[in-house]
Each structure stands twice: as C-alpha cells, then as structure tokens.
Amino acid sequence: MLHPQPPLRQLQTGLMHNRKLRSAKLAVYLYLGRRHYYNSEGGAYAVHYTCNKQQHNLKQFPKSIIFTNTSTRTMSKHSYTLKATTLALSLAIFGACSKGPATSAYTLPVETGVSRTLAEHRNQTLRNVQYDIKLQIPNGKTAPIPASETITFDLLSKEQALQIDFKEQPSHLHAVRVNGKQIPIEFENEHIVIGPRYLKEGQNQVQIDFTTGNLSLNRNEDYLYTLLVPDRARTVFPCFDQPDLKAVFNLTLTLPQDWKALANAPLQDSLLTGATKTYTYLPSDTIPTYLFSFVAGDFRKVSNSDRGRTMHFYHRETDPDKLKSIDPIFSIHRDALAFMEDYTRIPYPFQKFDFVAIPDFQYGGMEHVGAIDYKASTLFLDEGATKDQLVGRSNLIAHETAHMWFGDLVTMRWFNDVWMKEVFANFMADKISKTTVKDSNYDLKFLIDHFPAAYSVDRTAGANPIRQDLANLQDAGTLYGHIIYHKAPIMMRQLERLMGEQAFQEGLQVYLKTYANSNATWPQLIEILDARTPTDLQAWNQVWVNESGRPVYDCKLDIEDGKISVFSISQKGEDGSDRLWPQLFEVALVYNDRIEEYTVNMDQPSIEFQEVIGKEWPLYVLFNSSGQGYGTFPIDARGISYLPKLQNPVMRASSYINLYENMLNGVDITPDMMRYITLLQSANEQEELNLKLLTGYLGDTFWKFTTPARRAEIAPAFEKNLWDAMEKQKSGNAKKLLFKTYQNIALSKEAQDRLHQVWEAQQAPAGVTLNEDDYTSLALSLAVRDYANSEGILRQQLSRIKNPDRQKRLQFLMPALSGDEQVRDAFFASLKDRSNRDKEAWVGAALSYLHHPLRAASSEKYLRESLKLVEEIQLTGDIFFPTNWLQSTFSHYQTPTAAATIRTFLAEHPDYNPKLKGKILQAADHVFRAEKLAR
C-alpha cells in the first residue's frame, strides 16, 4: 500500500549495520521541495529524481530498514547515521548528473489550488474525460467514507507530469494505479503528480483508492449533500477541477438501507445487501466538476408527471401547511422550463429534471444538472407568505431553471466569467416571472430586486467590476456577490435596450447553439452580439463590464417666462473620474393633471435636453422615472411632498431609491429626513413590493444612522405610527410587513410588552397571519432586547417547534442571544473552530444577533478577531460565507472606534488579499458613512 508523507525539506539517508555502500541495507528519503512518496508494501522503497531528462531510481530495499521519523523534528535513535556515509551516499546519487543537484525536468509548476496556467495546459492536452466513482456512505457524520475511482482520459501529449487535484491530507490517498500498474504516490501542493513515464499518448486510466474529504460533503447525522462550486470537487475526490474539462460521471453509492439518494443521472439499478443498499446510476450528461452532485439521507420523495415529463422532488418538511406548497413548486418549474425552451429554441438538454429541498442550504439554490438543490425555507411557504416571498420563490426556481441553458449547457471557460451564467440566470428569471407570476410588475420587480443590491457594493471603496481577473481557482469564491448577481442584469438590460429585444434574443440563441455542451467566454458572446448592432459594443463593454463604480448625474435647469429655457444633464464617475456610462433612462415632468416622460440617450458626458426646451415649467422634475438608469440622480425637493400622488409604483420606487442613495452621499437628504419620509410613505404605500423597500430603508436609517440616544427619543412615536398604519392597511401582507417593522424597531417597554403578548398567546394582530417561523422570530427579538425571562421564552419556543431541523437551528442560536455576556463570549470563541461554522446560514443569523445594535457595546471587542478569521473562512467556507460573515458582523456599527478597528487592521496588513480587502470595505461602508451621518 502506498502512503504519502508530510514534507521535509532535506535529503536524509540512513545506513545501518554495514557502512559499505555496495552491501548496505539502505533507507533513503529523498525530498525535493514538497514532492514525496514511499511504498510500505513488501519493503520496496523507491526514490526518484530527474536530471538531464534521465530518470534515476534506487529501489528494492529490504523490509528491515528503519526510516527517519518525519512527523517531528526529532529522529528516532535508529536513524542516526554517520555523516560521512550520508555525504558519500548523497554524492553517489547526485554524481550521476553532470550539472549539479537534481531538478525537475517539468516546466509546469505544482501550485496549491488550480492555477490558470495548469488549467490551460490540461485543456490543451486532455480529452474525453470520464469518472467512475464509488462511495460507501455510513450512518452518522463522523465515520470515514471509503471510496475508489477510475479516471479515464485521452492524453494528447505527455511532455509534462499529469496533475490531478485533491485538496486533502496525503493520508487520504491509499493507492494509485496507472494503466493497470500500481505506482508510488507522489503528492505535492494539493495535487497527485504522475510522471510521464507512467502515461501514454492516447487513452489512459488512473485508478485511485482514497478516503473522501469532508469539507464539501455537508454531513449531518441523517443526510449529506455535495456543494462543489467553484473548486470544491477536489475537496471530495481527485479530479481535474476546472470548468472547461467537462466529463461524464458514473456514480455508485452504497448507503444505509433506509436512506434515499439523488444524483445527476437517472438511477440504473439498486441492490440490497444486509443493512445497506447500493445505487448504480446511468452515465451522466457531460458536465463540469462543479456541477457533479449527489444528495443522500432521510428524505421524502414526491413525483409528478405532466406535459410529458416526470419530476422527482426530495424534501424533509413536516409542517402540513407548508406541504401544501408542493403542487405550486412543480407547476412553477414546468412554467419556467416551457419559457426557456421557447425563448432559446432549444429543448431541455439533459436526461432528467429533479430537485431537492435542503434545510438551511447555504444559497437560495444550486443548478446541479438533474438534481437542483434549494434552501427548503424558500420553497415551502404557507398561507402567511407575503407577495415578496411568493415572487421570490418563483424567481428562484426560474433562476435555477435558466441555468440549465446558461451555465450548464454552455459553461464559462474560466471562473473569471462566472458572472455570465449568473447574469443570464437572473435576467431570464425576471423575464420568466413577468409571464408566469400573477399580477407581476416586471419593471418594478427588476428595479427593486437589482438596483439597491448593486448600489450597496458599487458605492463602496471595495467595489469590484463585473468581470474580474482570476489567477487561481482557489480565489474564485471571492468573485461572487451583488455585482455579478445584480449590476450585471442591469447592464444586460441596457444592452438589450440598446440592441432591441429581437436582435438580442437571436444573438443569445446563436450563442447557445454554437457553444452547446462546451465552454465560452464573454468576448465570444460580445462578438456574436456585436454583429447584430451598429453600436460599438467593445467600447461600451469597457466601462460597464471591466470597471467598477457608478455615475453621478447633475443638471442645469433654467426657466424663462414660465417655460424651460435650459435643461442640460451631465455625468461623471462617483470617484470623480471623467468616465462615461452610455445608457438610456427617462426623465418625467410632473404637472397637476399629467406626467410627461422623455427618454434620455446619455451617450455623451453632457447633453442638452432639447426635447423639453419650451415646455411649461412643471411642479417638479423626476429623474430616472422608469427606474432603468444606473447611478445617483438629482433630487427636485419640490417632489417629495407629491410622492403619494404618483400613481405609477415604478416612479415611486425609483424616487425612494434615489432619496436613500443621496442620503448616503450626504446630498440634500439627511437621515432624519429619510426616516420621516419612509415612515409617512409606509402609511400610504399600497404596493407591497414598495412597502417592503420603504420599511427596509426605515429600519436601516433607524439602526445604522441614528444614535442610541436619538433612537430612544423617537422610538415611541415611530412605534405608534407603525401600529396605526398597520391597523389601517387593508392588505394582509401589507399589515404583516408593517408588523415586522414594528417588531424590528420596538424599543419602548410598551412595544416590547405588546410583542410578548402576541408571542405568548400566539395571537397575531387582526388581519396578520403568523406562522411558526414568525413566532420564533418574535422570541429571538425579545431575547436580544433582554426582555424578562428571555431564556425561558427561548426554551418554550424550542418546545413549540416540531420539525427537528428547525429545533437544531434555534438551539444553535440560543447562546448568541444569551443575556450573559460570558456565554456570548464563549459562543464567539467557538466559531474559531471550523467545525462550529459548518451550518453557515445558522452562523450568519447568530452573528446578526450577537452584533445587534443593542449589544454593540459588548460585542465590538469581537471585531478584530472577526477580521482575522476572514482568510480562513474564505478557504474553508462556501462562496457567500465571507460576505455573510462580514455583513452580519459589521452592518450596524456606527462608532468611531469600530471604524478605526477596520482601518487599523487593513493598514497593518498591506499585502492582504485584494479581493478579500474589497469584501471588508464593502461590509464596512455603512460604518464609515455612519461616522459622518449618524445623529
């Protein structure tokens, strides 16, 4: 059996019993850099080194040789040897070369992660990759998972050693056979390295016996699931972990007999053997490693056949009210599939379409071919669900369905273009929801979904462009965020508007057909689209895709004899640069009896708006009235009092967003003004999506930009106004949003007593529907306020919860809500252990309570330690976890000392990973602004 050893940067030779080289029983370790291996079977220990392209081997040493103990710096008593003999042996070995010490003949470096250099080399030399993987999964979450695999591939050239990615300890590797022959295990910097002498041009097979890594298996006591995006396949099994080496997967799973399983491909057969069963799956479609997936455990399976397709849905939900969601879930999937087939003119391209709901899944969903993963709480809604939740579920399902074409059928060549699959998934999801969601307002939903989220990053000192450089896949997770999910769809909609919907759709159809079952880059798509428009898309692409930031607009408006005589609009970068963002947006002139809306083609740094010259002077001017322009726009203060009179909900939403962004920039609007605007408008707003936007802004200004003393002063009046507004609202969903806002800001004893009465009696206010999750949220709100007997409240709520997954979540959160500071300290300290961060959604929720503004005085001491953990979290957590960790930690601090902690940390680490530094600056943006704005 072959076993790897830890690195030791020295050459050690051992000689025992006989000092004569020609008859010695030798024990030799040869370490060059970190490449090392040995063979523990039959006493055959091998040393290999390369010099002048010749292989030199010392092998077949007897079993009795004693090796140096490399696990410590101290050698065993048997390993001491004569220095003269060691030197003689070293000279004898290296003397075979005429040019000094042995060096690698391979020019391709062996680096941690998956470098772009390595990926490009493998893309040029490997073809027809196939994985045959067998896993034996035990009950529980701690026992090792034995595994074996065969990787089959065609090799075009064997000038370089073959590197197979495996991010695990060397001890997880047990045997490697190449083309039927067992070879020594050579393991270096997260790669199995196979020398050219073991390979051949043409078809090769590499067989590996190993123990799976656990980092991305998401193991629980009675279920597990893979989540391998962007480069996590290599943490589970050895592979070529890059998106442009698509492969066929043949999977065999041996499971506890009462478990179910779901994988990319249809089930071929199953075999019961004692307490286990073995599932063998058909060959998968051709997919990249990050889409390889299986889920196994205690799940319930529901099947549905309609429109010629059978779907299977796996879940763990137990609430009868939530289970009523199952039929709508199937229906939404079918509608989304029908839309995508019609839009792309390509039938669904894979063998099957199944999905699974996973408790506290890290993301909203993950687009695994044939086995989509979803966060269970997003899918399972009851009668108390708000319009925002219902639309959000439809949009999520549409997003993951769109990925089947954008991302799965056509995949980015390298993860610097990961945004391409996400932008089209979001962009298509919005189009799908426009046609499939009842009473959907496409323009309003697009505006509210994307613009505030994009601005939350693009306004910060840590803003990143849509398309970013990526040298190594181990940093690919840092590319994800609001820019690729939200600014990119805004950009794409501007592009569609520029080209025209039909030309844009035809371009996408050509793109999908050209690169189906393959890989493509953004420049290749731009080339296809550029041929269908007279606009120079290459120049347009530079500022929108390759640069960060947003424009700030200004205007000059003069009146003469009651008519507009001058109306000019100019733009510049928010950073003060002279950059130009070519785009189309609308400006509305609002009169007592009408609104006149005009389109602005902002293709110059400054334009004269000739269309309105000579128009009657309006009551006010509303910039970006259609909500499609990107940036911050001037505010006509005369319009604030007219907001309730605007009949178009998109115009109102665009106004709310622009007011908030100008407040953050300290232009015209103060936090005091924003609080009162949002409070008053919340009482009048009838559009539910707008009400959610307003109440979110109200909560933000209350907690982030209002000092504790000022909060206590204004809270009673705000509480009363919100409660009155809730009672006057007719819509049950609107009532619930206002009640949730009341719960969010409740500070007075009267308000907290009222919340406690609702929780204790489980009696919601008239017209409001609350479910188990809502009552749990109430219990948590009372606890973070140190309400009387808060620990008893949490224990009682725990006893009310029947679903075991939701029970475990609350148990995890309880220490973070403790009224005892020492308990909270111990909870935070426990998060330094990676195993305590496995449930990332739970950790994010716990941190939001740990760092709640009401606990800020005692929790600010955690900030520096939280920053020190970010690099480790990026390496061990999933793609959104660093952002979630930082946002949950920093989003509500407003003290100068908190801001100083962040600045000092960054100053002390000048060589800090620039992408992670950007994430820190994004999360800290409100902290820095609060220094100037909080009053």
Side-chain angles (χ1 to χ4, degrees), residues 307-319:
R307 307 182 204 177
R309 176 177 286 114
T310 298
M311 299 178 181
H312 305 291
F313 177 26
Y314 296 74
H315 69 88
R316 291 168 57 85
E317 185 54 66
T318 57
D319 187 328

Side-chain angles (χ1 to χ4, degrees), residues 583-772:
Q583 58 177 311
L584 299 166
F585 59 85
E586 279 62 44
V587 172
L589 306 182
V590 182
Y591 299 94
N592 263 325
D593 58 347
R594 69 191 187 282
I595 294 176
E596 297 179 8
E597 193 172 44
Y598 301 89
T599 296
V600 177
N601 184 1
M602 201 71 197
D603 59 355
Q604 301 293 328
S606 180
I607 65 165
E608 298 297 326
F609 198 12
Q610 296 295 333
E611 287 181 79
V612 300
I613 302 301
K615 293 287 183 180
E616 179 186 350
W617 183 246
L619 291 174
Y620 70 97
V621 178
L622 176 59
F623 286 85
N624 197 26
S625 54
S626 67
Q628 294 185 36
Y630 189 75
T632 61
F633 294 85
I635 294 173
D636 188 336
R638 299 174 301 160
I640 294 175
S641 61
Y642 284 89
L643 277 173
K645 299 178 183 178
L646 284 175
Q647 296 300 307
N648 188 328
V650 174
M651 290 184 176
R652 297 197 302 274
S654 183
S655 299
Y656 302 151
I657 293 169
N658 199 43
L659 287 167
Y660 185 75
E661 294 302 319
N662 276 278
M663 179 207 75
L664 292 178
N665 284 345
V667 177
D668 297 331
I669 302 295
T670 66
D672 265 340
M673 293 171 63
M674 193 69 197
R675 277 196 309 271
Y676 284 103
I677 291 169
T678 53
L679 181 65
L680 293 173
Q681 283 300 116
S682 295
N684 298 316
E685 183 60 66
Q686 299 301 307
E687 169 53 55
E688 188 180 324
L689 296 180
N690 278 354
L691 182 57
K692 186 173 187 296
L693 177 70
L694 277 169
T695 53
Y697 284 155
L698 174 57
D700 276 356
T701 52
F702 184 84
W703 288 115
K704 296 178 180 180
F705 303 112
T706 309
T707 62
R710 180 70 173 144
R711 279 186 224 132
E713 180 184 339
I714 66 175
F718 272 60
E719 294 161 357
K720 183 180 186 307
N721 276 276
L722 284 168
W723 193 267
D724 290 346
M726 177 193 69
E727 292 186 320
K728 292 176 183 176
Q729 273 281 1
K730 296 180 181 179
S731 161
N733 284 346
K735 285 177 177 289
K736 186 170 183 177
L737 283 170
L738 290 165
F739 175 74
K740 286 286 189 179
T741 309
Y742 180 90
Q743 174 187 327
N744 178 28
I745 70 165
L747 282 183
S748 70
K749 185 178 186 304
E750 179 184 355
Q752 293 180 39
D753 286 343
R754 179 176 264 164
L755 292 180
H756 180 256
Q757 290 167 8
V758 170
W759 171 82
E760 186 174 44
Q762 292 189 297
Q763 184 64 51
V768 177
T769 302
L770 299 180
N771 58 26
E772 180 188 272

Side-chain angles (χ1 to χ4, degrees), residues 694-876:
L694 277 169
T695 53
Y697 284 155
L698 174 57
D700 276 356
T701 52
F702 184 84
W703 288 115
K704 296 178 180 180
F705 303 112
T706 309
T707 62
R710 180 70 173 144
R711 279 186 224 132
E713 180 184 339
I714 66 175
F718 272 60
E719 294 161 357
K720 183 180 186 307
N721 276 276
L722 284 168
W723 193 267
D724 290 346
M726 177 193 69
E727 292 186 320
K728 292 176 183 176
Q729 273 281 1
K730 296 180 181 179
S731 161
N733 284 346
K735 285 177 177 289
K736 186 170 183 177
L737 283 170
L738 290 165
F739 175 74
K740 286 286 189 179
T741 309
Y742 180 90
Q743 174 187 327
N744 178 28
I745 70 165
L747 282 183
S748 70
K749 185 178 186 304
E750 179 184 355
Q752 293 180 39
D753 286 343
R754 179 176 264 164
L755 292 180
H756 180 256
Q757 290 167 8
V758 170
W759 171 82
E760 186 174 44
Q762 292 189 297
Q763 184 64 51
V768 177
T769 302
L770 299 180
N771 58 26
E772 180 188 272
D773 295 336
D774 296 320
Y775 286 112
T776 299
S777 175
L778 274 172
L780 297 171
S781 293
L782 291 167
V784 82
R785 286 163 171 78
D786 289 323
Y787 192 80
N789 192 32
S790 59
E791 291 190 11
I793 290 171
L794 292 176
R795 286 195 299 271
Q796 185 174 345
Q797 185 59 32
L798 184 63
S799 69
R800 291 175 175 178
I801 297 172
K802 303 307 178 186
N803 183 280
D805 295 320
R806 289 193 281 274
Q807 286 177 342
K808 291 173 184 176
R809 177 182 182 272
L810 181 54
Q811 288 170 335
F812 181 87
L813 296 179
M814 286 171 69
L817 288 145
S818 173
D820 186 336
E821 186 175 342
Q822 290 185 337
V823 173
R824 299 199 301 273
D825 289 347
F827 174 80
F828 176 75
S830 74
L831 297 180
K832 297 176 184 179
D833 183 340
R834 184 184 68 79
S835 64
N836 293 324
R837 303 193 300 265
D838 284 346
K839 291 287 189 181
E840 295 173 4
W842 296 0
V843 173
L847 289 174
S848 68
Y849 288 110
L850 198 67
H851 294 280
H852 190 281
L854 296 175
R855 297 275 173 86
S858 61
S859 59
E860 190 173 319
K861 63 190 174 187
Y862 308 140
L863 296 187
R864 185 172 178 82
E865 287 299 311
S866 298
L867 287 168
K868 289 167 65 176
L869 284 168
V870 171
E871 286 184 308
E872 178 185 331
I873 284 168
Q874 189 266 322
L875 291 173
T876 60

Side-chain angles (χ1 to χ4, degrees), residues 884-898:
N884 189 11
W885 174 274
L886 289 165
Q887 294 287 356
S888 299
T889 298
F890 288 104
S891 60
H892 287 97
Y893 285 94
Q894 55 179 229
T895 62
T897 50

Side-chain angles (χ1 to χ4, degrees), residues 23-257:
S23 60
K25 293 182 178 181
L26 299 177
V28 182
Y29 268 3
L30 178 62
Y31 290 84
L32 302 176
R34 292 183 61 192
R35 184 174 297 169
H36 47 280
Y37 45 83
Y38 73 102
N39 187 331
S40 64
E41 290 185 343
Y45 296 93
V47 174
H48 301 284
Y49 67 94
T50 304
C51 186
N52 292 339
K53 297 186 179 179
Q54 294 178 343
Q55 294 290 334
H56 299 267
N57 301 311
L58 293 178
K59 53 187 178 182
Q60 296 302 326
F61 296 105
K63 291 182 180 179
S64 59
I65 299 308
I66 306 299
F67 273 67
T68 303
N69 179 359
T70 60
S71 63
T72 66
R73 292 181 178 271
T74 306
M75 293 185 287
S76 69
K77 64 180 181 179
H78 299 296
S79 65
Y80 289 103
T81 61
L82 293 176
K83 292 182 180 179
T85 304
T86 303
L87 177 60
L89 177 58
S90 300
L91 291 173
I93 295 172
F94 290 118
C97 297
S98 61
K99 294 186 179 180
T103 58
S104 174
Y106 315 138
T107 57
L108 190 65
V110 183
E111 307 173 54
T112 58
V114 180
S115 70
R116 189 158 192 175
T117 302
L118 172 62
E120 289 175 347
H121 169 76
R122 292 195 303 209
N123 177 262
Q124 293 166 6
T125 57
L126 297 176
R127 296 291 184 272
N128 302 320
V129 180
Q130 178 173 301
Y131 298 91
D132 292 83
I133 301 173
K134 297 181 180 180
L135 306 175
Q136 300 178 44
I137 301 173
N139 263 312
K141 59 183 292 185
T142 57
I145 298 180
S148 64
E149 72 172 332
T150 299
I151 309 175
T152 305
F153 55 90
D154 291 341
L155 185 64
L156 303 185
S157 169
K158 61 172 195 169
E159 291 182 0
Q160 300 289 334
L162 180 70
Q163 298 183 32
I164 302 176
D165 315 325
F166 190 49
K167 187 181 179 182
E168 251 305 338
Q169 294 300 313
S171 58
H172 280 235
L173 293 169
H174 308 311
V176 175
R177 291 175 292 279
V178 179
N179 296 322
K181 178 181 179 181
Q182 183 160 324
I183 67 168
I185 295 177
E186 189 174 349
F187 189 78
E188 180 179 0
N189 288 338
E190 303 173 355
H191 298 281
I192 302 166
V193 181
I194 299 175
R197 66 185 178 280
Y198 300 117
L199 301 165
K200 60 185 179 181
E201 291 185 359
Q203 189 179 83
N204 290 260
Q205 281 195 339
V206 177
Q207 297 169 283
I208 306 173
D209 296 331
F210 63 102
T211 300
T212 64
N214 279 330
L215 181 63
S216 302
L217 279 180
N218 299 284
R219 297 180 69 179
N220 295 267
E221 287 299 327
D222 57 351
Y223 70 96
L224 58 76
Y225 59 94
T226 59
L227 185 57
L228 307 182
V229 64
D231 66 328
R232 298 301 176 86
R234 65 194 180 97
T235 69
V236 177
F237 62 97
C239 60
F240 305 118
D241 204 0
Q242 60 191 77
D244 61 350
L245 280 181
K246 291 189 172 185
V248 173
F249 290 83
N250 296 296
L251 177 64
T252 301
L253 296 176
T254 299
L255 311 163
Q257 192 176 115

